[in-house]
């Protein structure tokens, strides 16, 4: 949490990684930040299979907080 009570950007891909299948190995991660999460916010995770990997949406209610794409090896 920074001085503005935003979650540090390094945590978004770590949260998203928890939604991947256990045996999935990835070689690249791309994160697109949309809306900052704050202290005590609830992030819901939505996983979708995409070509070569997975796209994880981190949701703040109906709003997308971050889009994280994991591309397999």
């Amino acid at each position: 949490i920074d001085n503005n009570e935003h979650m540090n950007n390094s945590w978004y891909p770590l949260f998203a990684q928890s939604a991947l299948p256990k045996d999935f190995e990835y070689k690249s991660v791309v994160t697109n930040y949309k809306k900052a999460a704050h202290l005590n916010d609830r992030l819901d995770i939505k996983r979708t299979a995409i070509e070569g990997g997975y796209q994880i949406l981190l949701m703040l209610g109906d709003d997308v907080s971050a889009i994280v794409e994991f591309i397999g090896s």
Side-chain angles (χ1 to χ4, degrees), residues 2-71:
D2 65 18
N3 291 336
N4 295 319
E5 296 188 351
H6 297 150
M7 184 168 72
N8 184 284
N9 286 352
S10 64
W11 287 99
Y12 291 85
L14 291 174
F15 285 140
Q17 184 179 9
S18 70
L20 295 174
K22 299 289 184 216
D23 61 345
F24 180 72
E25 295 183 21
Y26 57 92
K27 65 179 179 181
S28 67
V29 180
V30 176
T31 304
N32 187 349
Y33 303 98
K34 297 292 192 178
K35 183 176 182 179
H38 295 84
L39 185 63
N40 298 320
D41 279 348
R42 176 189 165 134
L43 286 174
D44 293 314
I45 298 174
K46 295 184 179 182
R47 181 180 77 188
T48 304
I50 59 172
E51 184 175 342
Y54 293 93
Q55 180 183 77
I56 311 296
L57 299 180
L58 298 176
M59 304 294 297
L60 284 167
D62 292 332
D63 296 325
V64 175
S65 178
I67 303 168
V68 186
E69 293 185 352
F70 294 90
I71 304 303

